[in-house]
Each structure stands twice: as structure tokens, then as C-alpha cells.
Amino acid sequence: MSQQEGYSPSFKRPAEIMRMRRKRTRSDASVLASPSGPGQSDSLRAFVRPFSPGPLFNNQHGPAGGTKRRNPFANIENTFSPKKKFLIYNDDGSAEAADSSSRISEEEGEEDMSSVKECHGGPTVAFRDRLAQAELQEHQDIDSKMCLTFFEDDSLFEEDDVSSLLLKSPQLIAPGSIAPPVCTEYPVDWSLKTRLLFTSPLTLSWAEQPKAQEEALGLSRHCKAQFSTLPHSLQDPRSCSELRQAFQQSLVYWQHPSLPWIPLFPRINAERSFAGRSAPWAQDRALQQSLMSEWSVSLSSLYSLLKARLCPYFYLCSYQFIVLFRAASLGGSSSITASISPTTRGLREAMKADGIEFSLPLVEERSRSREQQNLTTQQGDKEELECCELKAGKETQTGDEEENDHEDCSFSWLKEMGIQDKIKKPDSITMQLRKEGQTVALDHKPESMLCVEGPHTFTFINFLINCKSLVAATGSQAGLPPTLLSPMAFRGATMQTLKARSVNVKSQVGSTYQNISSLEITGPILPSSLHTLTTLLRPAQKGNFSAALYTHTPTSVMNTHTTKPQCGGGSVDLSGCGLHPSSIQQLQQPSSLGKTALTHINMSNYCYMWKK
């Protein structure tokens, strides 16, 4: 038996190699000995390729044209391939799909193939004709659509480029009718942003250098709470005056106090921005009292607007903490809420002394999770249950009676040994500090956020007006009242606008450079302003842009659920608060971000994706 050209397997198992060669030789001989059809020519039979690797039969042009390429990564041990489906042609020309049921030996496979040929002589000839036609079309650079029957031993070699009609498994075919869910809105984010950076493949230069008339109309529409309706997609944003007016309208916010030479946001850890600035009120008590008097009037005006549903929310930013006041029905709450973060033990004790009831949402959530863990551990062994109860008891001792019992138990062993008089016990001050250890540990952390609801918010407003520690007594912010920020006008407020700047840059994408337009917005960016800006960019950028969000860290915790979701029968009407209806609808939803905030928003083909 002669060695066929192009075939050089590894000789790890010579017996199997010789068995394969004998089998392929018999298969080739049977194909050549079978009678040809009346219409078949010798030229067609000359190009028939054997099932074993090697040159074409009766190839007059040498073996180079029909030699198969050997797979360099194949060997005898990894030749197993999954079951293949093939087509069996019937007498009428139709095709049936057949599947190999089990892996059989080489001898059984040869007998089965010979039996098929004996029973169906006509289809065997038809199959050979189609195989010959496929070889001819391959040489003519025409894609073949005929079916070829392959054996499992052929997985040792790579086929040339002959396309086959092997049936695909239905599990591998993904239904085209199943479309991914389209998200047209991102979750509400109650944190304050200090900077936004929008990028888009389309130009964003339409957002800068507005005309005087466009700027005036934008400010007028903000005061009148008028909103324009834009089409789904804009062909030329620069020529759309309505878009530019709406953009100027979305940049407006209201602030008190307003000192042009001092940045009044942020106020926490902002000593560097206040350093070296002129502060004439620092040593003038009369001027400090005048500033606080005007500030108290502005705060009372804001709360009155909030209670009348004419202002949806506002922020109070002091040098120690930030307060978010929200109207009823916003954030999933049915009453007015106030969220304070971060807090200290002194502030919480002062609020308790004034009769203000508050809750610690994150601490309560942590205690509930621990209770659930304790309930799951009760299904275990008794020993594990007792250990869990001891650990939980050490971590959750809050009552005075439990503390006293713990103290008695801790010193009982001294009494048993008779040395209780020789050992000095901790004094009452030390014991009190140990009791308050867990409370003090919350100070200046996100878990220290407080929530005040309902009528207690009015008491809290009076507490803030009369609180002397609300204003710094020393330092660069001494004597300066807290900053009030609101999307709507209030008494004593000054209209301010966010700063916008557009820049065109080139970014490397792969081996090429792509033009990318960017839009940077700085200032105290309120939640409604963020939603309005993204709503305007949707039609202007044809639903393709991304935004990087820079959050004022102390306000990230404002996204925590402060109350249980309310399922009231009727919703509160906030149509007169001055915000766009879509923004109101978003702000009414409970936030799903927890104590985190959004860091990135991406819109692709009018579909939102975000990161937190």
C-alpha cells in the first residue's frame, strides 16, 4: 500500500493508523468500481476527490492543485468530534436529515455505509454526481450549496473552502424576534454634581455662544415655566433656536447668599477656596446678624413654597452637613422629608432635645439584615444558634437594662474569686463613653444620615434658624450663613447659571483618530438640571452620547430609601412647581441607587446604560 501525499500523522498508535488506511482504501475502491450514470462524463469523474487526504483521482495536472492541507494541530488522540447531521437524498430528489445516533467502530460504520449503498443504488449515484458538481464549482470560484457527507475521521484535516449544508442545531440558532429590553430612562439621582462632561461623535458646538435673544428667551421661559417640544431627531442643531433657548433654560438655578468673589459651593472641606478671600463679616458682629436675618427669611420662604408644592426640593449646604428638603410625593414619600448627611452625635442629641423625631435609615437597614441572618441561622444546630445569639447580643446592645446586665456579668467573676474590692472598677464616665461608643462611631460617615418626616420638618426648620453651631465661629467660613440652592425662585435668591464650554478633540480609536466633541458643565448641578440636559441631548445628538458625572461626595447617600414606598390612591399634583413633566415623573420614583450615585451615563441608539 502506497503512502498518500500530504498525510503525515503522528505514529503513537500504529495499529489504529493502519486500520484507518485500510478502511479508506476500501472506501475509495468502492467509489471507483461503482458504475457511472449514463450522462456522466469522464471529466467529471476525474475531479472526484477521495474521502482520504490526497490528490484528486486521475489528475493530469499534478497533485498540487487538489492536495488537501493538513491540520498542524491535529493528532490521533483529539480526533473525536460531536455527532454530525447529514442529508440523504431520496429517489424523488428530496433530502432527509439524518443524525448519527451513537459512536460506532470503524468496521460497523463501513458495513452501514455499504448497506445504504446496496439498498439505494440510485441515490448513491445522485450523491456522487452532486459531489462532482461541487468540485467543479469550487474550481470555478462559485460557492457550492450541495451537501457533503463527512466521517468522524475527517476531523484530522481542514477542509478547503467548500461550503456544506450541514444542519444546525435549533439550540444554536438565536431567534431574531427576541430584542433586548430598551431602557428609555435612568434612575433618579438626588446627589449634587460638581461637573458634567458630555461626549458625542456629533458636534456639541451648538451649546455655546448663544445669541442675546436666545439667552433672554431662555431665562424668560424659566421664570414662566414654559417648555418647548422638540422633534425626535434634529438634523442641524445649530440652526434650531428652540434647542438653544431650552439649553439656556436648563442652566438656571437660584442661590442665596450670593457673593461674586467667593464660591459658595461646595462648603464642606472647602477651606482652600475660601483662603485669601476678603471676608468683611468675619470680625463684624452686626454684619453677621444682618446676613443671618436675611438668610432666615430666605429659608422660611423656601419651606413655604415647598409646603405649597410650588418648589419641588431645595438644598441647604453648611460647612458641616447638607440637608435635602423634598416635597410630598417625591422619592416615593407621601409627606415632606428632610435628609441630613453627615451628622454627629452632638447634632443628634440637640435635635432630640428639641423634640425632633428622626430615623437612621442605613442603621435600621443593617439591623434588619442582621435579624434576617439570625433567622436563617436558627435552622442550624443548637450550638451554632447559641454562638450567633452571643455575637448578635454583643453587637446590638443598645438599651440601658441590657448594658447594666452586661456590666454585672462582666464583674461577677471578680466577686466569685473574692477580689472585687482589690480591683478598681471603671468610673461612671468611662462606662458612659463605652455605652456611646457605637453612636460616636457613626459620626461623619454615610451611616449617620438622618431622615425627618412630616410635621417634624417644620420643627427642624426652626431648629436650623436658631442653631448657633450652624455657622462657623472660626476659620475661613466664619460668620457666613449656609448656601441655599433651589431650581425655583424664592425670596432673597439670586439667579445663577451653570458654566458650559464646548471643545472638539481627536481620540484614538484603534489605529485611526476619530473626531469627538465634548461639552463641559460646571457648578452646583441639581437633579432636575441633569435630567433636562440629557433630555435635550437626546434629539440633538441623535440618541448617541455619553456623560461622566462628578458627584459631591457627602450627597451620595441622599439616594437611600428614607421611607417605605407609599402606595397611595391619589398622587400629589406638582404641575405648578416649575419643572418639566418628564422631570417630575422621574423625581417621583424611589431611587434604586442606595448610598451610591451615578458616575457614568451612556445613550446608544436612544437606549440608556449607566454605572454607579
Side-chain angles (χ1 to χ4, degrees):
M1 187 181 338
S2 61
Q3 175 81 14
Q4 292 193 7
E5 183 178 354
Y7 180 65
S8 57
S10 59
F11 291 93
K12 294 183 179 180
R13 297 179 181 178
E16 295 183 1
I17 295 172
M18 298 304 295
R19 190 184 303 114
M20 273 195 301
R21 289 184 178 178
R22 287 195 299 270
K23 173 191 171 183
R24 287 174 177 161
T25 303
R26 291 195 299 268
S27 177
D28 298 341
S30 62
V31 172
L32 292 176
S34 61
S36 59
Q40 183 179 7
S41 62
D42 296 336
S43 60
L44 291 178
R45 191 167 53 240
F47 288 99
V48 175
R49 186 193 300 272
F51 288 106
S52 60
L56 296 176
F57 289 130
N58 302 328
N59 189 5
Q60 302 298 333
H61 300 283
T67 303
K68 287 190 177 181
R69 183 167 58 90
R70 175 180 171 271
N71 185 3
F73 302 101
N75 54 31
I76 301 299
E77 297 178 353
N78 63 359
T79 59
F80 175 77
S81 61
K83 302 176 183 179
K84 295 181 173 61
K85 295 186 176 182
F86 53 92
L87 296 180
I88 298 178
Y89 287 89
N90 299 327
D91 295 335
D92 55 355
S94 60
E96 284 184 3
D99 194 356
S100 55
S101 60
S102 63
R103 183 179 179 86
I104 60 176
S105 63
E106 290 81 3
E107 292 78 7
E108 294 177 353
E110 182 178 355
E111 294 176 359
D112 293 341
M113 289 303 300
S114 61
S115 62
V116 171
K117 293 179 182 180
E118 292 174 1
C119 297
H120 301 280
T124 306
V125 175
F127 175 76
R128 187 172 61 253
D129 295 341
R130 288 174 171 81
L131 182 61
Q133 293 177 5
E135 293 293 340
L136 287 178
Q137 291 178 0
E138 176 188 0
H139 288 279
Q140 296 173 1
D141 297 330
I142 301 176
D143 294 337
S144 173
K145 298 299 182 179
M146 303 303 298
C147 175
L148 299 176
T149 305
F150 296 97
F151 296 93
E152 292 181 354
D153 294 337
D154 292 336
S155 60
L156 282 170
F157 308 95
E158 293 179 356
E159 296 298 328
D160 287 335
D161 286 329
V162 181
S163 60
S164 61
L165 292 179
L166 295 178
L167 297 180
K168 295 183 179 179
S169 174
Q171 298 177 355
L172 301 179
I173 302 176
S177 59
I178 300 178
V182 177
C183 185
T184 58
E185 197 60 84
Y186 55 89
V188 59
D189 189 354
W190 287 102
S191 62
L192 287 171
K193 309 298 180 183
T194 58
R195 180 171 174 258
L196 298 179
L197 182 61
F198 293 97
T199 56
S200 176
L202 302 178
T203 179
L204 286 164
S205 59
W206 56 267
E208 63 179 0
Q209 296 180 357
K211 298 180 182 179
Q213 185 179 4
E214 294 173 346
E215 184 177 3
L217 289 175
L219 299 179
S220 176
R221 288 187 175 185
H222 173 82
C223 297
K224 298 178 181 179
Q226 296 177 351
F227 305 98
S228 57
T229 303
L230 298 175
H232 182 71
S233 178
L234 295 174
Q235 298 298 328
D236 187 10
R238 291 188 61 87
S239 62
C240 183
S241 180
E242 294 288 336
L243 175 64
R244 296 162 68 88
Q245 294 174 18
F247 180 74
Q248 293 298 318
Q249 180 180 354
S250 64
L251 298 180
V252 178
Y253 68 96
W254 298 83
Q255 174 183 316
H256 178 86
S258 178
L259 303 174
W261 68 93
I262 295 179
L264 295 180
F265 177 83
R267 298 290 297 272
I268 299 178
N269 299 328
E271 284 74 16
R272 291 184 178 181
S273 60
F274 284 86
R277 308 297 179 107
S278 175
W281 55 84
Q283 305 297 330
D284 192 343
R285 296 290 300 176
L287 185 55
Q288 291 181 10
Q289 292 179 0
S290 178
L291 290 175
M292 282 302 301
S293 177
E294 290 295 325
W295 182 85
S296 301
V297 172
S298 298
L299 181 60
S300 301
S301 173
L302 266 176
Y303 186 79
S304 300
L305 292 173
L306 190 76
K307 193 174 182 181
R309 305 188 190 95
L310 298 177
C311 178
Y313 62 90
F314 68 90
Y315 290 84
L316 184 150
C317 305
S318 71
Y319 76 103
Q320 284 185 324
F321 56 85
I322 297 178
V323 187
L324 168 61
F325 288 88
R326 288 181 288 191
S329 79
L330 291 187
S333 176
S334 60
S335 60
I336 299 177
T337 59
S339 303
I340 309 101
S341 177
T343 61
T344 58
R345 183 176 64 89
L347 178 62
R348 294 191 291 270
E349 294 295 333
M351 292 174 63
K352 287 182 181 178
D354 281 11
I356 301 174
E357 296 183 3
F358 57 85
S359 60
L360 296 166
L362 292 176
V363 175
E364 294 175 357
E365 181 180 357
R366 184 174 59 181
S367 62
R368 285 194 298 268
S369 63
R370 288 180 178 176
E371 290 177 359
Q372 292 179 357
Q373 292 179 359
N374 293 336
L375 291 176
T376 55
T377 54
Q378 289 179 1
Q379 300 177 359
D381 297 333
K382 293 182 179 180
E383 296 180 358
E384 295 178 357
L385 178 60
E386 292 176 359
C387 294
C388 292
E389 288 178 352
L390 290 175
K391 293 180 180 179
K394 292 180 181 179
E395 295 176 356
T396 58
Q397 290 173 351
T398 54
D400 296 337
E401 296 180 358
E402 294 179 357
E403 291 290 341
N404 294 333
D405 295 341
H406 180 69
E407 294 167 14
D408 295 339
C409 295
S410 61
F411 297 107
S412 60
W413 62 277
L414 296 176
K415 191 179 297 183
E416 294 175 357
M417 296 179 64
I419 57 174
Q420 69 275 10
D421 298 332
K422 299 180 181 180
I423 302 298
K424 183 179 179 181
K425 294 183 179 180
D427 54 5
S428 60
I429 298 178
T430 305
M431 298 301 297
Q432 184 68 21
L433 290 177
R434 191 178 69 175
K435 292 179 181 179
E436 298 175 354
Q438 294 182 354
T439 306
V440 176
L442 296 176
D443 293 355
H444 304 289
K445 293 183 179 180
E447 289 76 11
S448 65
M449 186 193 74
L450 305 180
C451 178
V452 182
E453 299 181 86
H456 293 283
T457 55
F458 179 74
T459 310
F460 182 59
I461 288 290
N462 294 329
F463 170 80
L464 292 175
I465 293 175
N466 300 320
C467 183
K468 295 182 179 180
S469 61
L470 188 65
V471 180
T474 58
S476 56
Q477 302 186 45
L480 188 62
T483 304
L484 300 176
L485 299 173
S486 171
M488 300 306 300
F490 59 95
R491 185 174 176 180
T494 304
M495 177 185 286
Q496 303 285 345
T497 57
L498 302 173
K499 297 180 181 179
R501 185 171 64 98
S502 176
V503 178
N504 293 325
V505 297
K506 286 189 176 182
S507 178
Q508 186 174 2
V509 179
S511 60
T512 61
Y513 286 88
Q514 182 180 1
N515 292 326
I516 295 179
S517 182
S518 63
L519 175 63
E520 182 185 27
I521 297 177
T522 56
I525 303 167
L526 304 178
S528 56
S529 300
L530 174 62
H531 185 265
T532 306
L533 288 170
T534 54
T535 304
L536 292 177
L537 288 175
R538 181 185 304 176
Q541 306 308 120
K542 296 180 174 59
N544 292 280
F545 68 88
S546 61
L549 315 179
Y550 298 84
T551 305
H552 186 38
T553 305
T555 62
S556 298
V557 75
M558 299 297 182
N559 292 313
T560 306
H561 284 291
T562 56
T563 59
K564 295 182 179 179
Q566 303 291 333
C567 52
S571 60
V572 180
D573 184 18
L574 293 175
S575 58
C577 67
L579 296 183
H580 195 276
S582 62
S583 299
I584 297 176
Q585 184 178 3
Q586 187 206 33
L587 297 178
Q588 287 179 337
Q589 303 297 324
S591 179
S592 59
L593 300 176
K595 59 180 182 180
T596 59
L598 293 176
T599 59
H600 190 272
I601 296 176
N602 182 40
M603 170 170 273
S604 177
N605 196 17
Y606 299 95
C607 179
Y608 276 114
M609 294 180 291
W610 60 86
K611 294 181 182 179
K612 62 179 182 178

